Amino acid sequence: MKTIDEIMKEVHSLWRQGREKEMAPLLEEAINLCKLQNNNLKLIELLNEYGGCLRNLGEFDKAISAIKESIDVYEKSNLSNEIAYATSIMNLANIYREKKDYFNAEKYFNISKAIFDKLGDKSYSYVGLLNNFSLLYKEIGNYSAAEKMQLESIRILEKDSKMNVPLAISYNNLYEIQKLAKSNSSSIENLRKSEQILLKETGTNHPLYASVLNNMADYEFSNKNYNEALSLYKKALEIVRTCYGEKSEAFLSVSKNIEFVEDFIKTLSIKESSSSDFKNNLKINEINCTNSNSKRLTGLERAETVAKYTSEFIKDKYPDLYSRICLALVGVGSECLGFDDEISEDHDFSSRCQLFLDDPDYKTYKSDLESSLKIFCKDLESIVSNLKDINVEIMPISNFYKYYTLFENGPKTESEYRKVPMDLLCVATNGKVFLDNLGKFSEIRNRLLNFYPEDIRLKKIAFQLNKMAQSGQYNYSRMIKRGDTVAANIAQGEFVKHYLEFVHLLNKKYMPFYKWSYRSACSLEILGNFTKENLKKLSEASIYEKESIIEEICSTVVNTLNELGLSHSTIDFLTYQAEEVRKNILNPSLRNEDSWIE
């Protein structure tokens, strides 16, 4: 049997080669050995390394469980190594960041940093904290805080020649931040420094090198070197394919970049011009963008194309405004949910995206933008032949969120969340943001996407359980016994409606307007496949078969609540389960409130 050290030597060899998919089974083997030896300090280290591996593979929930286990081991073992404890908390924060749970990410980063600051520690672990905290601030649009942390990490790393790989990561990250913040015209030099270090330290077949190539491609594209950009993206893709596989987020992201650049090269020929007029800066390529065999573009795909051209247009015509624009497709419409099809095209069909501005910019630029974008949209229709009825809607950020959530910055408190219907929260957070240079729109959006405050979620789950019990387990059978099939059908409809909302609450996803609620639920991780099969079966069953199907659904609901730790009771009548869930509410006022009140 191999020792832990022998296994970890193999693990680290795989890491240097960028073969992270093969590391996970070995790390699991080492963790099990460590548990048998009761070596808690080593176990904490291995669980953190395992969590990092799972994070890179996109298995966020398993990664969170591993890191939380390491924290639990530390707290129960009375260990004195506070750096190990701070590092585990930092790793947990970073997984939440990649999962886009920004609230928990910032919370745990701050806890970790407070420990490092108290100890006066400037070690490699602290540098890791700075790097990852910087990435969080970059993602939520706080570029000044992101740049400040990244520069601090670089100052520490430059003093130690053994820290070249982390230094390369920091230079790469700094490039991305400064590009977004437009705070340093020579930011490309940071990217080149990163490339030179990685060529020496990791070689060209490593995911870190792929990240640098991806950024270099982005830089070349922004400077209109489209063929060079395409070549660099393709090199990055092959590295990512080997390291992470074709299902990874990284592979899909680079693939999408390649697809866009190839389409851009086919469609347009760019020539230099001093004129700021959009059409004069474009030479229409004779190649038709579509043919009779091309697949139908979804609304989000059309919107993304419109957004990319709109971005270039505003960058040329309104350079002072460009750093503060947000382009997206969100709100009402099946295309915002990704559910549009040929039938959707019989009404309100267009190729559209939205331009969101902060209030001062909206007041200043609205009139001029409306007239110039109207001309731009007509020009674009003549350039890209598979886009018709192009429209760019201009609206202030505050109006959008106030219209759909009642509050200009979205609900924040428990009482505010209770005032907003779930389907409107779905409308406010669906679709896709294609570009957000200001960051304000995404900051509100990401906070809302973190879902309800946990006590409110539990309160709503308890309410839905009561309603499911009332309509499905009680009233449906009574109406059948009375021979009142109309009332029975109404009870069934109520049961299905509350069940679908319950499934969305379990998955921490806002349920859309009723006609899309079933389709949305079928795609969810928890009970999604079960819902798809059993609600279809319920809808197609005879009146006298439906009661047993409803009971089967309720039994699965109870098992799921037990598995998720929301209930420890096996009683199958859902009103009992509602009370079990209610006990988990921390707020005494909410906990003591009648669970029949939502």
Side-chain angles (χ1 to χ4, degrees):
M1 180 182 288
K2 294 179 182 177
T3 66
I4 292 174
D5 287 342
E6 288 171 337
I7 295 171
M8 294 310 295
K9 185 176 181 181
E10 188 174 349
V11 166
H12 293 148
S13 174
L14 290 171
W15 181 84
R16 285 191 292 273
Q17 299 171 57
R19 295 159 59 187
E20 297 197 40
K21 287 187 293 184
E22 300 170 48
M23 289 166 52
L26 291 172
L27 284 165
E28 290 168 7
E29 183 182 349
I31 286 168
N32 290 331
L33 278 176
C34 207
K35 288 179 179 178
L36 289 174
Q37 297 172 11
N38 292 317
N39 186 345
N40 286 339
L41 196 58
K42 187 67 175 178
L43 178 60
I44 292 170
E45 176 190 330
L46 294 180
L47 285 168
N48 275 277
E49 194 150 356
Y50 181 51
C53 175
L54 292 170
R55 183 200 75 201
N56 290 336
L57 296 175
E59 298 184 39
F60 298 125
D61 291 335
K62 286 177 68 176
I64 287 170
S65 295
I67 302 300
K68 284 187 172 179
E69 184 180 352
S70 78
I71 293 171
D72 188 54
V73 171
Y74 181 94
E75 291 174 345
K76 289 179 178 179
S77 302
N78 295 317
L79 296 169
S80 59
N81 189 339
E82 289 189 85
I83 295 300
Y85 184 54
T87 301
S88 292
I89 295 172
M90 179 264 290
N91 290 339
L92 179 61
N94 200 38
I95 297 168
Y96 276 120
R97 177 188 66 78
E98 293 210 13
K99 194 182 178 184
K100 303 191 186 305
D101 183 346
Y102 297 124
F103 176 81
N104 277 315
E106 186 172 21
K107 168 186 168 183
Y108 286 109
F109 274 133
N110 276 318
I111 293 172
S112 179
K113 193 172 189 303
I115 298 172
F116 279 110
D117 290 342
K118 181 185 73 172
L119 298 172
D121 183 274
K122 301 294 180 185
S123 65
Y124 174 65
S125 295
Y126 179 66
V127 170
L129 170 70
L130 293 171
N131 275 324
N132 291 309
F133 211 162
S134 174
L135 288 175
L136 169 66
Y137 281 131
K138 183 190 81 172
E139 288 173 19
I140 65 176
N142 189 346
Y143 302 130
S144 60
E147 184 175 13
K148 181 179 178 182
M149 289 198 175
Q150 205 65 70
L151 288 169
E152 183 182 352
S153 76
I154 287 173
R155 284 193 294 270
I156 295 170
L157 292 169
E158 285 177 332
K159 297 175 183 177
D160 189 345
S161 60
K162 295 178 182 178
M163 296 292 185
N164 280 341
V165 172
L167 179 60
I169 296 171
S170 289
Y171 278 132
N172 190 43
N173 292 343
L174 184 60
Y175 161 78
E176 294 175 351
I177 294 163
Q178 292 179 333
K179 179 192 73 172
L180 290 168
K182 304 187 186 307
S183 63
N184 190 336
S185 60
S186 62
S187 59
I188 185 61
E189 294 305 317
N190 295 314
L191 196 56
R192 290 178 178 140
K193 288 178 184 177
S194 181
E195 180 195 22
Q196 291 305 310
I197 294 171
L198 292 175
L199 282 172
K200 179 180 177 182
E201 299 291 338
T202 68
T204 58
N205 294 315
H206 195 279
L208 291 177
Y209 189 72
S211 176
V212 172
L213 289 179
N214 190 72
N215 280 337
M216 286 187 157
D218 174 75
Y219 175 79
E220 294 297 343
F221 185 85
S222 68
N223 283 277
K224 302 185 179 182
N225 299 320
Y226 304 118
N227 288 316
E228 179 63 22
L230 183 62
S231 175
L232 289 166
Y233 277 135
K234 287 182 175 180
K235 289 178 183 177
L237 186 70
E238 289 310 307
I239 299 171
V240 170
R241 188 200 308 272
T242 302
C243 297
Y244 295 141
E246 295 187 4
K247 293 183 179 180
S248 67
E249 185 177 344
F251 183 86
L252 296 174
S253 176
V254 180
S255 297
K256 199 167 187 179
N257 290 338
I258 290 173
E259 182 181 347
F260 171 71
V261 176
E262 286 179 335
D263 180 66
F264 196 93
I265 291 173
K266 287 177 183 177
T267 306
L268 299 173
S269 174
I270 306 297
K271 64 179 182 179
E272 293 296 329
S273 173
S274 59
S275 171
S276 64
D277 180 80
F278 177 74
K279 191 171 183 179
N280 289 339
N281 278 336
L282 296 175
K283 180 180 178 182
I284 302 173
N285 194 306
E286 294 179 357
I287 298 174
N288 195 318
C289 296
T290 59
N291 56 57
S292 58
N293 297 318
S294 62
K295 71 178 183 68
R296 176 187 178 276
L297 292 176
T298 67
L300 281 171
E301 288 171 336
R302 295 196 310 271
E304 185 162 14
T305 301
V306 174
K308 288 182 185 295
Y309 286 112
T310 304
S311 170
E312 289 297 315
F313 169 72
I314 293 176
K315 191 174 184 179
D316 286 340
K317 190 170 180 65
Y318 302 91
D320 293 335
L321 178 64
Y322 181 75
S323 64
R324 301 187 301 281
I325 65 169
C326 174
L327 291 164
L329 181 63
V330 291
V332 295
S334 57
E335 67 270 39
C336 296
L337 295 166
F339 294 162
D340 57 305
D341 53 22
E342 288 80 5
I343 296 174
S344 307
E345 297 178 12
D346 65 357
H347 70 290
D348 298 331
F349 175 71
S350 65
S351 300
R352 66 186 179 96
C353 76
Q354 295 138 324
L355 170 61
F356 291 102
L357 301 173
D358 210 1
D359 286 354
D361 285 334
Y362 180 79
K363 292 174 183 177
T364 301
Y365 289 94
K366 175 181 178 292
S367 179
D368 189 56
L369 274 169
E370 282 181 342
S371 57
S372 63
L373 282 173
K374 187 175 181 180
I375 297 170
F376 157 76
C377 289
K378 288 182 179 178
D379 291 341
L380 189 57
E381 284 181 23
S382 68
I383 294 168
V384 185
S385 59
N386 58 349
L387 297 181
K388 300 301 179 186
D389 299 318
I390 298 172
N391 182 31
V392 180
E393 305 163 11
I394 311 167
M395 63 181 70
I397 296 169
S398 59
N399 280 19
F400 174 83
Y401 285 110
K402 186 172 183 179
Y403 185 82
Y404 290 114
T405 74
L406 306 179
F407 305 97
E408 288 188 356
N409 294 301
K412 294 181 179 180
T413 65
E414 291 180 346
S415 63
E416 288 176 350
Y417 269 100
R418 296 183 78 176
K419 294 176 182 177
V420 189
M422 185 187 280
D423 64 314
L424 290 185
L425 287 169
C426 178
V427 169
T429 56
N430 64 16
K432 187 174 181 181
V433 175
F434 308 117
L435 175 73
D436 191 355
N437 288 339
L438 180 63
K440 182 177 179 179
F441 185 91
S442 294
E443 184 179 2
I444 299 170
R445 173 184 173 87
N446 291 331
R447 176 169 51 77
L448 295 180
L449 283 171
N450 283 334
F451 209 60
Y452 294 108
E454 183 63 6
D455 279 355
I456 296 298
R457 184 178 81 102
L458 295 173
K459 186 81 171 64
K460 286 178 174 290
I461 289 173
F463 174 80
Q464 301 305 330
L465 289 168
N466 278 328
K467 288 293 189 177
M468 289 158 62
Q470 180 188 59
S471 56
Q473 291 181 297
Y474 182 73
N475 280 329
Y476 181 84
S477 60
R478 291 173 70 83
M479 294 303 102
I480 291 297
K481 288 174 183 176
R482 290 191 171 107
D484 190 343
T485 55
V486 173
N489 282 330
I490 293 172
Q492 177 192 320
E494 284 292 298
F495 172 77
V496 169
K497 179 182 75 172
H498 292 294
Y499 169 78
L500 288 171
E501 189 158 343
F502 165 81
V503 172
H504 281 84
L505 287 163
L506 286 190
N507 285 273
K508 298 185 179 181
K509 298 290 183 183
Y510 300 118
M511 188 174 79
F513 182 57
Y514 74 87
K515 74 174 181 178
W516 299 118
S517 58
Y518 169 68
R519 181 168 175 178
S520 173
C522 292
S523 68
L524 299 177
E525 181 178 354
I526 302 171
L527 293 177
N529 290 331
F530 176 86
T531 298
K532 183 176 183 180
E533 178 182 343
N534 285 275
L535 288 193
K536 189 173 189 296
K537 184 166 66 173
L538 178 63
S539 69
E540 296 174 351
S542 69
I543 290 174
Y544 302 102
E545 294 173 318
K546 290 178 184 289
E547 190 173 348
S548 64
I549 297 172
I550 288 172
E551 286 303 326
E552 181 184 348
I553 291 172
C554 292
S555 177
T556 300
V557 164
V558 174
N559 292 336
T560 304
L561 290 170
N562 292 163
E563 291 171 3
L564 296 174
L566 296 176
S567 168
H568 301 291
S569 169
T570 58
I571 295 174
D572 60 3
F573 196 59
L574 297 186
T575 54
Y576 287 94
Q577 296 298 325
E579 288 304 297
E580 285 291 301
V581 171
R582 185 176 63 83
K583 293 174 185 176
N584 296 310
I585 298 174
L586 297 179
N587 183 325
S589 177
L590 278 177
R591 186 173 62 248
N592 294 329
E593 193 175 276
D594 189 340
S595 61
W596 287 86
I597 299 173
E598 190 177 18

